Amino acid sequence: METSKKRSECPLSCSLDVFGDKWSLLIIRDLIFYKKGTYNDFLKSEEGIATNILASRLKALEENGIIEKSAHPESKAKILYRLSKKGIDLLPIIVEIYIWSDKYFSMPLEIKQIITEAKKDKDKFVKQITKELKSK
């Protein structure tokens, strides 16, 4: 996931080099839908990411401009992570993955509600979430 290594010039391949592993996408998901923002928040995710993998993915996402980090307003010992504009621009892709998944997998009610809302008016849904993410 280094910024300088590319497998090819294919746009899909280049994109996957930045955010294509499952852990990076789950971190992005947590930032978008679950309002997580600290290292410990990500560790508490249901999927159970290992600390070394989490540290590696956060570093790679930051190096690739997907996330930004800042001082936590309530604790000097914590770092606060948030999506950059580049990271927020991934929202429509994540929404499409959710909608696709809804066709083929059973969903918990909470996620089903998000998908239902997104399906009603995708553009409006994406704009609203984008606005919320930018205001953080």
Side-chain angles (χ1 to χ4, degrees), residues 6-127:
K6 285 187 190 179
R7 288 178 285 181
S8 75
E9 294 300 318
C10 169
L12 182 59
S13 179
C14 292
S15 298
L16 291 174
D17 288 341
V18 174
F19 60 80
D21 70 283
K22 69 179 178 180
W23 295 115
S24 294
L25 284 173
L26 292 173
I27 291 167
I28 293 165
R29 174 214 57 196
D30 285 352
L31 286 162
I32 292 171
F33 293 116
Y34 299 113
K35 312 303 183 225
K36 294 184 179 189
T38 66
Y39 190 86
N40 282 333
D41 289 343
F42 299 121
L43 281 179
K44 293 175 187 172
S45 293
E46 180 181 351
E47 293 82 11
I49 189 169
T51 57
N52 62 322
I53 301 291
L54 177 57
S56 168
R57 294 314 183 269
L58 289 170
K59 181 180 178 195
L61 287 169
E62 182 184 14
E63 287 174 353
N64 283 286
I66 303 297
I67 64 172
E68 301 167 339
K69 64 182 182 179
S70 60
H72 195 285
E74 298 168 9
S75 171
K76 290 182 180 183
K78 292 181 182 180
I79 294 172
L80 194 59
Y81 296 93
R82 55 178 240 139
L83 290 169
S84 64
K85 175 162 178 6
K86 186 176 178 181
I88 292 169
D89 284 345
L90 290 169
L91 178 59
I93 297 166
I94 302 296
V95 169
E96 290 298 335
I97 292 171
Y98 267 51
I99 291 170
W100 178 86
S101 297
D102 187 43
K103 286 183 181 179
Y104 301 103
F105 304 106
S106 58
M107 300 286 148
L109 183 59
E110 173 187 322
I111 295 172
K112 189 78 164 166
Q113 290 171 336
I114 293 170
I115 295 168
T116 301
E117 189 65 29
K119 284 180 177 179
K120 286 180 193 174
D121 186 341
K122 275 191 262 184
D123 289 338
K124 181 179 176 185
F125 180 81
V126 168
K127 284 178 185 172

